[in-house]
Amino acid sequence: MHPDYDHLQQAAKDHLWLHFARHGAYADGDVPIMVRGEGAYLWDATGKRYLDGLAGLFVSQLGHGRTELAEAAAKQAQELAFMPLWSYAHPPAIELAEKVAAHAPGDLNRVFFTSGGGEAVETAWKLAKNYFKLTGRPMKHKVVSRSIAYHGTTQGALSITGLPLLKQQFEPLVPSTFRVPNTNAYRADEITSGFLDGSDPEAFGRWAADQIAIAIENEGPDTVAAVFLEPVQNAGGCFPPPPGYFQRVREICDEYDVLLVSDEVICAFGRVGHMFGAERYDYQPDMITCAKGITSGYAPLGAMIASDRLMEPFLEDKAMFAHGYTFGGHPVSTAVGLRNLQLFEEERVLENVRDNEAECRAILERLLDLPIVGDVRGDGYFYGIELVKDKATKESFTAEESERILYGFVSKQLYAEGLYCRADDRGDPVVQLAPPLICGPEHFEEMEQVLRVVLDKAGSLL
């Protein structure tokens, strides 16, 4: 037990405003307080250990307790603790930009640093609008994204987000964003209104991509600036792209002169086994937004990556991209990011994911023998387990059942059993898993064992 446990509990309840939290749940219960991490595990203030099945929040690629990253931060803070990138530069930002550009696919080689992922998405949308204004197409400002997709909580990023319940309390938001169907092959028959059932992934992918062309036509090609897509869509429970999907999207964007933004705040830096998701799925975006794994969570940092083509209008005369963040590209954060990517190479982190993902997936797919488990999907170390009321019909939970079973039992019981992960019903009810990239099959075995006990019990509550 932490020696100051009682004080921490009261102070948390009195002063700390938690993110995305139901504070009423703590009226008669304790706030979970994490105090230590090592490798793939976390310890709370009572001394209990948890397997970190979510890498913090898709962040802790190298795991916890890495002294190399802490030392990089301390060293940089001693040399230069702060300097903004507002017309000035510093070595760690320059060196990390060079490193990121070397890994980025194709011609993406210009790195604009932010404090996090939402700011990276804001940056990409603002750049798209600004770019088209400077190149003589001032009406191109609209954005197309997918239903259920999450792109951030700032006003612009939330507008691009396709989750109505997250948006309605903050409306009116930034106008001119439009949704197209996602790539949940498990629900293909519902998404296509019975036109396709998901048995032909390529046909489903083609259909889903073509909906982007239809949306652009409906809005007017001269008004659409960008399409924002995640390599693997997070919200809804990990939707990988069907074969050929992104290749068709690239064709559509080229045809209509629309920028393709690969939102890789989660998928970049090894989450799907490659430095960038666009590399894994073999497509060339015009921009990449990223954050989270760039520092493995040891300091806050995000980035928007673009090409010389998008930078070119800003290199002329007195032109300026009038956009930036005080802490974007912070010296300590970029120093940590640089050391993080060096460790990726030294420890062959990407290879670890690729070498183990087939076995790890097979371990999780054992859960398909449970009546409540309808689908196990994902790639790399990024998986969603969709829960259903009826496996034969794919009937999902009612709102009452989701509240009672997913939140009232599954989420709490997984935590009680020592597994930190996410239970989510922003689409259909899912459990999401995204452990640190240093993990191996033994950690997936541990996750499967806990999930089996909890989900078997949950099935009996339906």
Side-chain angles (χ1 to χ4, degrees):
M1 182 75 73
H2 192 282
D4 207 20
Y5 185 81
D6 291 338
H7 171 75
L8 288 173
Q9 278 295 327
Q10 195 58 52
K13 293 178 181 181
D14 290 345
H15 304 294
L16 183 60
W17 198 325
L18 300 171
H19 299 203
F20 285 97
R22 297 179 175 183
H23 279 263
Y26 303 126
D28 299 314
D30 285 356
V31 177
I33 300 174
M34 296 297 176
V35 298
R36 184 169 70 88
E38 182 178 343
Y41 294 92
L42 298 161
W43 282 261
D44 69 16
T46 71
K48 183 175 179 178
R49 190 184 81 164
Y50 303 83
L51 174 59
D52 184 358
L54 202 62
L57 193 60
F58 316 103
V59 169
S60 304
Q61 315 296 64
L62 296 185
H64 304 279
R66 298 301 299 257
T67 57
E68 306 97 320
L69 297 179
E71 288 167 355
K75 182 175 184 293
Q76 182 58 48
Q78 290 173 336
E79 293 177 358
L80 179 66
F82 177 73
M83 189 67 202
L85 294 180
W86 296 49
S87 300
Y88 298 86
H90 48 74
I94 296 169
E95 293 168 9
L96 181 58
E98 182 181 38
K99 174 73 76 173
V100 170
H103 284 293
D107 61 354
L108 301 187
N109 66 338
R110 298 282 186 166
V111 182
F112 188 104
F113 287 116
T114 67
S115 305
E119 291 180 356
V121 170
E122 292 282 335
T123 300
W125 191 6
K126 289 178 74 174
L127 176 59
K129 292 193 286 187
N130 202 167
Y131 170 78
F132 283 121
K133 282 179 170 59
L134 290 177
T135 54
R137 290 156 292 176
M139 292 181 65
K140 291 177 79 70
H141 66 282
K142 298 175 183 176
V143 166
V144 175
S145 60
R146 292 186 290 205
S147 63
I148 309 179
Y150 174 85
H151 293 282
T153 57
T154 54
Q155 294 280 328
L158 188 57
S159 296
I160 298 172
T161 290
L163 294 161
L165 292 179
L166 277 187
K167 302 165 70 164
Q168 60 190 18
Q169 58 266 52
F170 304 112
E171 291 174 334
L173 295 169
V174 182
S176 304
T177 65
F178 303 89
R179 244 59 57 202
V180 294
N182 59 52
T183 59
N184 182 359
Y186 182 66
R187 300 281 178 186
D189 55 341
E190 298 173 25
I191 293 172
T192 66
S193 300
F195 176 65
L196 294 168
D197 61 7
S199 60
D200 185 342
E202 290 190 19
F204 175 56
R206 176 80 183 204
W207 177 89
D210 283 344
Q211 304 315 298
I212 295 173
I214 292 171
I216 293 171
E217 285 284 357
N218 287 342
E219 291 306 316
D222 290 341
T223 71
V224 179
V227 174
F228 279 71
L229 304 172
E230 298 165 275
V232 176
Q233 182 174 318
N234 171 42
C238 302
F239 305 147
Y245 173 78
F246 273 109
Q247 288 69 37
R248 176 60 183 146
V249 172
R250 180 70 268 176
E251 291 175 356
I252 292 167
C253 289
D254 289 342
E255 179 182 353
Y256 292 106
D257 193 19
V258 169
L259 301 177
L260 173 55
V261 182
S262 187
D263 184 356
E264 305 206 18
V265 171
I266 289 176
C267 289
F269 308 109
R271 181 52 54 193
V272 292
H274 291 73
M275 197 62 80
F276 292 98
E279 179 186 3
R280 169 155 190 159
Y281 301 114
D282 192 27
Y283 64 95
Q284 181 59 51
D286 296 297
M287 284 184 266
I288 288 177
T289 56
C290 56
K292 294 186 183 290
I294 193 171
T295 65
S296 286
Y298 283 73
L301 186 65
M304 183 279 300
I305 314 169
S307 65
D308 283 338
R309 176 172 71 95
L310 298 184
M311 179 75 167
E312 187 175 0
F314 300 96
L315 299 176
E316 298 179 6
D317 196 24
K318 297 179 182 180
M320 175 180 62
F321 186 34
H323 173 70
Y325 301 99
T326 299
F327 294 109
H330 190 283
V332 173
S333 296
T334 48
V336 170
L338 182 62
R339 185 69 184 113
N340 181 57
L341 296 188
Q342 290 169 347
L343 289 170
F344 265 67
E345 296 166 359
E346 293 169 15
E347 299 180 5
R348 296 175 56 82
V349 172
L350 302 179
E351 290 83 355
N352 181 65
V353 175
R354 294 199 294 266
D355 290 347
N356 288 304
E357 71 169 311
E359 183 177 355
C360 293
R361 173 193 288 273
I363 291 169
L364 295 180
E365 286 178 343
R366 295 178 199 158
L367 296 168
L368 288 167
D369 68 358
L370 296 175
I372 197 174
V373 175
D375 193 28
V376 175
R377 54 182 177 257
D379 279 324
Y381 275 16
F382 188 25
Y383 293 98
I385 300 169
E386 183 167 336
L387 308 184
V388 293
K389 184 175 180 178
D390 187 311
K391 200 161 186 169
T393 64
K394 302 182 184 179
E395 181 183 359
S396 192
F397 295 176
T398 64
E400 183 278 330
E401 288 165 339
S402 189
E403 185 67 32
R404 175 170 55 88
I405 296 171
L406 189 68
Y407 293 114
F409 178 76
V410 172
S411 181
K412 293 178 180 179
Q413 197 59 34
L414 288 172
Y415 183 74
E417 294 289 339
L419 176 59
Y420 167 67
C421 59
R422 171 189 263 181
D424 187 16
D425 68 346
R426 290 178 294 177
D428 293 295
V430 296
V431 175
Q432 285 187 295
L433 299 167
L437 307 186
I438 59 168
C439 288
E442 68 276 14
H443 298 99
F444 280 80
E445 290 279 5
E446 185 176 345
M447 285 186 277
E448 192 271 344
Q449 290 168 15
V450 173
L451 285 161
R452 178 168 295 278
V453 171
V454 173
L455 296 182
D456 187 44
K457 175 64 174 175
S460 69
L461 301 176
L462 282 168

